[in-house]
Amino acid sequence: MATVELRFSAQPEHVRTARLVAAAVARRAGVEEAVLDEVRLAVGEACSRAVGLHRTNGLTAPVRVVLTEEDKTFSIEVGDEVPGPGGSPAETVSGMAAVQDSDGDTEDEMGLAVISGLVDDVEVTSGESGGTIRMSWPVAASSDLP
């Protein structure tokens, strides 16, 4: 299992870098070329959401992106350090976990909806130490790419 971890300050201009790194690592892991745009877009939405949460809540901690290549899947976790409600995982709605915000932020909900439309396997959790969006895609049978 190969893992790449990226941390960046919560600045919108760093989201593009995260998208580029995610696409490069996904390509190397064996994700189909046709799916790479979905990977880029989903990572961009997840990172933009995390940056927005950090900036709105005045956090200076970095946004965390972990890219993991496994035997048959490639996964990406985007984490923020904004404490969520209750300290337990969020409830699952329509096959996707959704973060329950007390103020019902529609921009946040729209970002999560875009991600769920792009990625079949997505899980969103929120706890006392922050939130995580975990997305995964299948990889080709052999990732013997150079």
Side-chain angles (χ1 to χ4, degrees), residues 68-96:
T68 306
E69 177 185 351
E70 298 175 35
D71 286 336
K72 297 181 181 184
T73 61
F74 172 70
S75 64
I76 300 175
E77 289 185 11
V78 177
D80 64 68
E81 293 195 14
V82 178
S88 62
E91 66 184 72
T92 300
V93 179
S94 303
M96 177 182 158

PDB file of all heavy atoms in Angstrom, residues 68-96:
ATOM      1  N   THR A  68      -4.125   7.172  -1.090  1.00  0.00           N
ATOM      2  CA  THR A  68      -3.680   5.817  -0.790  1.00  0.00           C
ATOM      3  C   THR A  68      -3.985   4.874  -1.946  1.00  0.00           C
ATOM      4  O   THR A  68      -5.126   4.791  -2.403  1.00  0.00           O
ATOM      5  CB  THR A  68      -4.371   5.289   0.493  1.00  0.00           C
ATOM      6  OG1 THR A  68      -4.157   6.223   1.539  1.00  0.00           O
ATOM      7  CG2 THR A  68      -3.822   3.935   0.889  1.00  0.00           C
ATOM      8  N   GLU A  69      -2.959   4.170  -2.383  1.00  0.00           N
ATOM      9  CA  GLU A  69      -3.088   3.162  -3.435  1.00  0.00           C
ATOM     10  C   GLU A  69      -3.125   1.785  -2.772  1.00  0.00           C
ATOM     11  O   GLU A  69      -2.199   1.413  -2.060  1.00  0.00           O
ATOM     12  CB  GLU A  69      -1.896   3.249  -4.383  1.00  0.00           C
ATOM     13  CG  GLU A  69      -1.889   2.204  -5.469  1.00  0.00           C
ATOM     14  CD  GLU A  69      -0.617   2.259  -6.300  1.00  0.00           C
ATOM     15  OE1 GLU A  69       0.179   3.207  -6.159  1.00  0.00           O
ATOM     16  OE2 GLU A  69      -0.428   1.321  -7.089  1.00  0.00           O
ATOM     17  N   GLU A  70      -4.219   1.064  -2.986  1.00  0.00           N
ATOM     18  CA  GLU A  70      -4.348  -0.292  -2.471  1.00  0.00           C
ATOM     19  C   GLU A  70      -4.439  -1.242  -3.655  1.00  0.00           C
ATOM     20  O   GLU A  70      -4.316  -0.817  -4.800  1.00  0.00           O
ATOM     21  CB  GLU A  70      -5.570  -0.384  -1.558  1.00  0.00           C
ATOM     22  CG  GLU A  70      -5.448   0.540  -0.344  1.00  0.00           C
ATOM     23  CD  GLU A  70      -6.692   0.553   0.516  1.00  0.00           C
ATOM     24  OE1 GLU A  70      -7.349  -0.497   0.641  1.00  0.00           O
ATOM     25  OE2 GLU A  70      -7.013   1.619   1.048  1.00  0.00           O
ATOM     26  N   ASP A  71      -4.661  -2.536  -3.385  1.00  0.00           N
ATOM     27  CA  ASP A  71      -4.688  -3.523  -4.462  1.00  0.00           C
ATOM     28  C   ASP A  71      -5.724  -3.212  -5.537  1.00  0.00           C
ATOM     29  O   ASP A  71      -5.410  -3.216  -6.717  1.00  0.00           O
ATOM     30  CB  ASP A  71      -4.961  -4.927  -3.902  1.00  0.00           C
ATOM     31  CG  ASP A  71      -3.748  -5.490  -3.184  1.00  0.00           C
ATOM     32  OD1 ASP A  71      -2.624  -5.053  -3.492  1.00  0.00           O
ATOM     33  OD2 ASP A  71      -3.933  -6.354  -2.320  1.00  0.00           O
ATOM     34  N   LYS A  72      -6.950  -2.945  -5.137  1.00  0.00           N
ATOM     35  CA  LYS A  72      -8.012  -2.760  -6.124  1.00  0.00           C
ATOM     36  C   LYS A  72      -8.691  -1.400  -6.049  1.00  0.00           C
ATOM     37  O   LYS A  72      -9.625  -1.133  -6.788  1.00  0.00           O
ATOM     38  CB  LYS A  72      -9.064  -3.849  -5.951  1.00  0.00           C
ATOM     39  CG  LYS A  72      -8.511  -5.231  -6.211  1.00  0.00           C
ATOM     40  CD  LYS A  72      -9.556  -6.295  -6.062  1.00  0.00           C
ATOM     41  CE  LYS A  72      -8.924  -7.656  -6.306  1.00  0.00           C
ATOM     42  NZ  LYS A  72      -9.893  -8.723  -6.274  1.00  0.00           N
ATOM     43  N   THR A  73      -8.219  -0.547  -5.154  1.00  0.00           N
ATOM     44  CA  THR A  73      -8.830   0.770  -5.017  1.00  0.00           C
ATOM     45  C   THR A  73      -7.784   1.857  -4.803  1.00  0.00           C
ATOM     46  O   THR A  73      -6.681   1.604  -4.334  1.00  0.00           O
ATOM     47  CB  THR A  73      -9.814   0.833  -3.814  1.00  0.00           C
ATOM     48  OG1 THR A  73      -9.102   0.555  -2.622  1.00  0.00           O
ATOM     49  CG2 THR A  73     -10.980  -0.107  -3.984  1.00  0.00           C
ATOM     50  N   PHE A  74      -8.180   3.047  -5.153  1.00  0.00           N
ATOM     51  CA  PHE A  74      -7.401   4.244  -4.907  1.00  0.00           C
ATOM     52  C   PHE A  74      -8.303   5.153  -4.083  1.00  0.00           C
ATOM     53  O   PHE A  74      -9.442   5.414  -4.471  1.00  0.00           O
ATOM     54  CB  PHE A  74      -7.023   4.924  -6.225  1.00  0.00           C
ATOM     55  CG  PHE A  74      -6.384   6.266  -6.040  1.00  0.00           C
ATOM     56  CD1 PHE A  74      -5.109   6.377  -5.506  1.00  0.00           C
ATOM     57  CD2 PHE A  74      -7.055   7.427  -6.390  1.00  0.00           C
ATOM     58  CE1 PHE A  74      -4.512   7.614  -5.326  1.00  0.00           C
ATOM     59  CE2 PHE A  74      -6.470   8.669  -6.219  1.00  0.00           C
ATOM     60  CZ  PHE A  74      -5.190   8.758  -5.694  1.00  0.00           C
ATOM     61  N   SER A  75      -7.837   5.599  -2.934  1.00  0.00           N
ATOM     62  CA  SER A  75      -8.690   6.430  -2.089  1.00  0.00           C
ATOM     63  C   SER A  75      -8.005   7.740  -1.741  1.00  0.00           C
ATOM     64  O   SER A  75      -6.782   7.833  -1.708  1.00  0.00           O
ATOM     65  CB  SER A  75      -9.082   5.686  -0.810  1.00  0.00           C
ATOM     66  OG  SER A  75      -7.951   5.429  -0.024  1.00  0.00           O
ATOM     67  N   ILE A  76      -8.839   8.728  -1.503  1.00  0.00           N
ATOM     68  CA  ILE A  76      -8.379  10.051  -1.113  1.00  0.00           C
ATOM     69  C   ILE A  76      -9.197  10.488   0.087  1.00  0.00           C
ATOM     70  O   ILE A  76     -10.428  10.401   0.076  1.00  0.00           O
ATOM     71  CB  ILE A  76      -8.552  11.077  -2.249  1.00  0.00           C
ATOM     72  CG1 ILE A  76      -7.756  10.656  -3.481  1.00  0.00           C
ATOM     73  CG2 ILE A  76      -8.140  12.471  -1.787  1.00  0.00           C
ATOM     74  CD1 ILE A  76      -7.969  11.538  -4.694  1.00  0.00           C
ATOM     75  N   GLU A  77      -8.506  10.949   1.115  1.00  0.00           N
ATOM     76  CA  GLU A  77      -9.166  11.522   2.282  1.00  0.00           C
ATOM     77  C   GLU A  77      -8.767  12.990   2.375  1.00  0.00           C
ATOM     78  O   GLU A  77      -7.581  13.309   2.331  1.00  0.00           O
ATOM     79  CB  GLU A  77      -8.745  10.821   3.565  1.00  0.00           C
ATOM     80  CG  GLU A  77      -9.288   9.433   3.712  1.00  0.00           C
ATOM     81  CD  GLU A  77      -8.956   8.815   5.058  1.00  0.00           C
ATOM     82  OE1 GLU A  77      -8.470   9.532   5.968  1.00  0.00           O
ATOM     83  OE2 GLU A  77      -9.186   7.613   5.201  1.00  0.00           O
ATOM     84  N   VAL A  78      -9.764  13.851   2.491  1.00  0.00           N
ATOM     85  CA  VAL A  78      -9.519  15.270   2.683  1.00  0.00           C
ATOM     86  C   VAL A  78     -10.044  15.605   4.072  1.00  0.00           C
ATOM     87  O   VAL A  78     -11.221  15.389   4.357  1.00  0.00           O
ATOM     88  CB  VAL A  78     -10.220  16.126   1.610  1.00  0.00           C
ATOM     89  CG1 VAL A  78     -10.016  17.610   1.887  1.00  0.00           C
ATOM     90  CG2 VAL A  78      -9.712  15.758   0.222  1.00  0.00           C
ATOM     91  N   GLY A  79      -9.146  16.093   4.923  1.00  0.00           N
ATOM     92  CA  GLY A  79      -9.528  16.361   6.300  1.00  0.00           C
ATOM     93  C   GLY A  79      -9.413  17.812   6.686  1.00  0.00           C
ATOM     94  O   GLY A  79      -8.505  18.511   6.242  1.00  0.00           O
ATOM     95  N   ASP A  80     -10.359  18.241   7.504  1.00  0.00           N
ATOM     96  CA  ASP A  80     -10.306  19.574   8.081  1.00  0.00           C
ATOM     97  C   ASP A  80     -10.239  19.411   9.598  1.00  0.00           C
ATOM     98  O   ASP A  80     -10.400  18.314  10.109  1.00  0.00           O
ATOM     99  CB  ASP A  80     -11.522  20.412   7.668  1.00  0.00           C
ATOM    100  CG  ASP A  80     -12.828  19.840   8.185  1.00  0.00           C
ATOM    101  OD1 ASP A  80     -13.040  19.856   9.416  1.00  0.00           O
ATOM    102  OD2 ASP A  80     -13.644  19.385   7.358  1.00  0.00           O
ATOM    103  N   GLU A  81      -9.961  20.486  10.291  1.00  0.00           N
ATOM    104  CA  GLU A  81      -9.862  20.420  11.745  1.00  0.00           C
ATOM    105  C   GLU A  81     -10.970  21.207  12.433  1.00  0.00           C
ATOM    106  O   GLU A  81     -10.832  21.622  13.581  1.00  0.00           O
ATOM    107  CB  GLU A  81      -8.481  20.901  12.197  1.00  0.00           C
ATOM    108  CG  GLU A  81      -7.399  19.949  11.745  1.00  0.00           C
ATOM    109  CD  GLU A  81      -6.077  20.158  12.451  1.00  0.00           C
ATOM    110  OE1 GLU A  81      -6.024  20.861  13.481  1.00  0.00           O
ATOM    111  OE2 GLU A  81      -5.078  19.611  11.956  1.00  0.00           O
ATOM    112  N   VAL A  82     -12.095  21.369  11.737  1.00  0.00           N
ATOM    113  CA  VAL A  82     -13.234  22.073  12.302  1.00  0.00           C
ATOM    114  C   VAL A  82     -14.089  21.062  13.070  1.00  0.00           C
ATOM    115  O   VAL A  82     -14.608  20.119  12.475  1.00  0.00           O
ATOM    116  CB  VAL A  82     -14.074  22.747  11.195  1.00  0.00           C
ATOM    117  CG1 VAL A  82     -15.294  23.433  11.782  1.00  0.00           C
ATOM    118  CG2 VAL A  82     -13.216  23.737  10.429  1.00  0.00           C
ATOM    119  N   PRO A  83     -14.213  21.233  14.396  1.00  0.00           N
ATOM    120  CA  PRO A  83     -15.007  20.285  15.188  1.00  0.00           C
ATOM    121  C   PRO A  83     -16.440  20.221  14.698  1.00  0.00           C
ATOM    122  O   PRO A  83     -17.060  21.239  14.395  1.00  0.00           O
ATOM    123  CB  PRO A  83     -14.942  20.846  16.602  1.00  0.00           C
ATOM    124  CG  PRO A  83     -13.763  21.752  16.608  1.00  0.00           C
ATOM    125  CD  PRO A  83     -13.637  22.288  15.210  1.00  0.00           C
ATOM    126  N   GLY A  84     -16.937  18.999  14.604  1.00  0.00           N
ATOM    127  CA  GLY A  84     -18.310  18.788  14.168  1.00  0.00           C
ATOM    128  C   GLY A  84     -19.216  18.532  15.351  1.00  0.00           C
ATOM    129  O   GLY A  84     -18.783  18.514  16.498  1.00  0.00           O
ATOM    130  N   PRO A  85     -20.482  18.296  15.070  1.00  0.00           N
ATOM    131  CA  PRO A  85     -21.455  18.084  16.135  1.00  0.00           C
ATOM    132  C   PRO A  85     -21.253  16.752  16.847  1.00  0.00           C
ATOM    133  O   PRO A  85     -21.037  15.730  16.212  1.00  0.00           O
ATOM    134  CB  PRO A  85     -22.793  18.118  15.401  1.00  0.00           C
ATOM    135  CG  PRO A  85     -22.461  17.715  14.006  1.00  0.00           C
ATOM    136  CD  PRO A  85     -21.076  18.224  13.750  1.00  0.00           C
ATOM    137  N   GLY A  86     -21.275  16.773  18.144  1.00  0.00           N
ATOM    138  CA  GLY A  86     -21.340  15.565  18.946  1.00  0.00           C
ATOM    139  C   GLY A  86     -20.103  14.714  19.059  1.00  0.00           C
ATOM    140  O   GLY A  86     -20.027  13.876  19.927  1.00  0.00           O
ATOM    141  N   GLY A  87     -19.140  14.848  18.183  1.00  0.00           N
ATOM    142  CA  GLY A  87     -17.944  14.030  18.265  1.00  0.00           C
ATOM    143  C   GLY A  87     -18.124  12.613  17.766  1.00  0.00           C
ATOM    144  O   GLY A  87     -17.300  11.753  18.001  1.00  0.00           O
ATOM    145  N   SER A  88     -19.214  12.342  17.056  1.00  0.00           N
ATOM    146  CA  SER A  88     -19.413  11.007  16.500  1.00  0.00           C
ATOM    147  C   SER A  88     -19.629  11.125  15.006  1.00  0.00           C
ATOM    148  O   SER A  88     -19.960  12.198  14.508  1.00  0.00           O
ATOM    149  CB  SER A  88     -20.625  10.339  17.148  1.00  0.00           C
ATOM    150  OG  SER A  88     -21.790  11.086  16.878  1.00  0.00           O
ATOM    151  N   PRO A  89     -19.445  10.022  14.259  1.00  0.00           N
ATOM    152  CA  PRO A  89     -19.641  10.110  12.807  1.00  0.00           C
ATOM    153  C   PRO A  89     -21.029  10.613  12.460  1.00  0.00           C
ATOM    154  O   PRO A  89     -21.997  10.353  13.167  1.00  0.00           O
ATOM    155  CB  PRO A  89     -19.432   8.671  12.334  1.00  0.00           C
ATOM    156  CG  PRO A  89     -18.589   8.053  13.385  1.00  0.00           C
ATOM    157  CD  PRO A  89     -18.999   8.717  14.672  1.00  0.00           C
ATOM    158  N   ALA A  90     -21.099  11.327  11.358  1.00  0.00           N
ATOM    159  CA  ALA A  90     -22.376  11.861  10.905  1.00  0.00           C
ATOM    160  C   ALA A  90     -23.277  10.749  10.399  1.00  0.00           C
ATOM    161  O   ALA A  90     -22.833   9.667  10.067  1.00  0.00           O
ATOM    162  CB  ALA A  90     -22.127  12.881   9.787  1.00  0.00           C
ATOM    163  N   GLU A  91     -24.562  11.035  10.342  1.00  0.00           N
ATOM    164  CA  GLU A  91     -25.497  10.021   9.892  1.00  0.00           C
ATOM    165  C   GLU A  91     -25.416   9.830   8.382  1.00  0.00           C
ATOM    166  O   GLU A  91     -24.977  10.711   7.659  1.00  0.00           O
ATOM    167  CB  GLU A  91     -26.912  10.399  10.297  1.00  0.00           C
ATOM    168  CG  GLU A  91     -27.430  11.644   9.619  1.00  0.00           C
ATOM    169  CD  GLU A  91     -28.797  12.035  10.112  1.00  0.00           C
ATOM    170  OE1 GLU A  91     -28.895  12.506  11.248  1.00  0.00           O
ATOM    171  OE2 GLU A  91     -29.763  11.866   9.342  1.00  0.00           O
ATOM    172  N   THR A  92     -25.840   8.675   7.912  1.00  0.00           N
ATOM    173  CA  THR A  92     -25.797   8.374   6.484  1.00  0.00           C
ATOM    174  C   THR A  92     -27.119   8.750   5.841  1.00  0.00           C
ATOM    175  O   THR A  92     -28.186   8.426   6.353  1.00  0.00           O
ATOM    176  CB  THR A  92     -25.522   6.877   6.260  1.00  0.00           C
ATOM    177  OG1 THR A  92     -24.269   6.577   6.868  1.00  0.00           O
ATOM    178  CG2 THR A  92     -25.481   6.536   4.793  1.00  0.00           C
ATOM    179  N   VAL A  93     -27.037   9.439   4.722  1.00  0.00           N
ATOM    180  CA  VAL A  93     -28.217   9.853   3.985  1.00  0.00           C
ATOM    181  C   VAL A  93     -28.027   9.471   2.527  1.00  0.00           C
ATOM    182  O   VAL A  93     -27.033   9.838   1.920  1.00  0.00           O
ATOM    183  CB  VAL A  93     -28.423  11.381   4.096  1.00  0.00           C
ATOM    184  CG1 VAL A  93     -29.641  11.813   3.310  1.00  0.00           C
ATOM    185  CG2 VAL A  93     -28.527  11.806   5.544  1.00  0.00           C
ATOM    186  N   SER A  94     -28.953   8.729   1.956  1.00  0.00           N
ATOM    187  CA  SER A  94     -28.921   8.340   0.550  1.00  0.00           C
ATOM    188  C   SER A  94     -27.602   7.693   0.148  1.00  0.00           C
ATOM    189  O   SER A  94     -27.033   8.010  -0.889  1.00  0.00           O
ATOM    190  CB  SER A  94     -29.178   9.550  -0.352  1.00  0.00           C
ATOM    191  OG  SER A  94     -30.400  10.151  -0.034  1.00  0.00           O
ATOM    192  N   GLY A  95     -27.076   6.797   0.969  1.00  0.00           N
ATOM    193  CA  GLY A  95     -25.841   6.102   0.653  1.00  0.00           C
ATOM    194  C   GLY A  95     -24.596   6.935   0.859  1.00  0.00           C
ATOM    195  O   GLY A  95     -23.509   6.512   0.585  1.00  0.00           O
ATOM    196  N   MET A  96     -24.765   8.136   1.355  1.00  0.00           N
ATOM    197  CA  MET A  96     -23.620   9.020   1.600  1.00  0.00           C
ATOM    198  C   MET A  96     -23.782   9.623   2.972  1.00  0.00           C
ATOM    199  O   MET A  96     -24.863  10.040   3.354  1.00  0.00           O
ATOM    200  CB  MET A  96     -23.600  10.140   0.555  1.00  0.00           C
ATOM    201  CG  MET A  96     -22.507  11.137   0.769  1.00  0.00           C
ATOM    202  SD  MET A  96     -22.623  12.432  -0.467  1.00  0.00           S
ATOM    203  CE  MET A  96     -21.736  13.693   0.386  1.00  0.00           C
TER     204      MET A  96
END
